[in-house]
Amino acid sequence: MPELRRVPVNGVELNVALVGSGPAVLLLHGFPHTWELWTDVMAGLSGRYRVIAPDLRGFGASSRAASGYDAGTLAEDAAALLTTLGVSSAAVVGIDAGAAPAFLLALRRPGLVRRLVVMESLLGRLPGAEDFLADGPPWWFGFHSAAPGLAETVLEGHEAAYVDWFLHAGTLGDGVRPALRDAFVRAYTGRRALSRAFSYYRALPESAVQIEQAVATTRLTVPTMALGARPVGAALERQLRPVTDDLTGHVIEDCGHIIPLHRPRALLALLRPFLAGEDTKPA
């Protein structure tokens, strides 16, 4: 079982799960998840790596924060976490809300990020996602970022049903183990918990500007792997292709958005050789 530790970084306290020993791998979750999204992946990597999986600021058991939900600040949190833990180099893996911070961290601190894996997300307004966005962004983006307090008011008392919808859709109807489902529901129950989660969506315009400014002057030089499933597919890879020097892309078939829980074996089959520095490109 992972060790849970409270780690003060960048003005907040992060709840961090740690397991294994060896080169560091930092895992950044999305919505509506906690570090427990990575349970199977951590078990699969801990024999060779020191795996670090925090709850992002304001999410799960990490401390409440009034601000700082933009990708740039979340990237600073991740860098500070690694420094506090004595890590000088890490592979960084981010999904959904964790992808943009992982990307900015690698772009800004290539000496700290050994390898980068991003999955099932979009990077702001970078070109390449036009087909995915042809009918507009996913409906919940607008709902979560509407007038402050609106989504919280609508959902308070109905959090379990709402989280269940995402877990069902994100696994193509298969769902997740009851213990994990219950952990996610607990993490997103209550007006304050919902407000912190939705603050990430309300900061998306700021995050998009940060990403655009970063790629205007810097290329992503660390080896990078972009993974897609349903619904994002290859859109993230297309966004990364013009700004990345060393990019590998894969779409995992018959897999929903929550890749680490829906198809952990397929994910590990791609992660292990990539993290070890082997070539994962199709022959």
Side-chain angles (χ1 to χ4, degrees), residues 114-126:
R114 183 174 68 253
R115 289 187 164 246
L116 173 68
V117 180
V118 284
M119 62 186 95
E120 277 298 288
S121 184
L122 297 181
L123 294 174
R125 297 181 289 259
L126 294 187

Side-chain angles (χ1 to χ4, degrees), residues 111-154:
L112 180 61
V113 178
R114 183 174 68 253
R115 289 187 164 246
L116 173 68
V117 180
V118 284
M119 62 186 95
E120 277 298 288
S121 184
L122 297 181
L123 294 174
R125 297 181 289 259
L126 294 187
E130 292 80 9
D131 289 347
F132 176 78
L133 295 172
D135 296 323
W139 61 266
W140 56 90
F141 278 59
F143 177 51
H144 292 172
S145 60
L150 175 61
E152 295 92 317
T153 299
V154 172

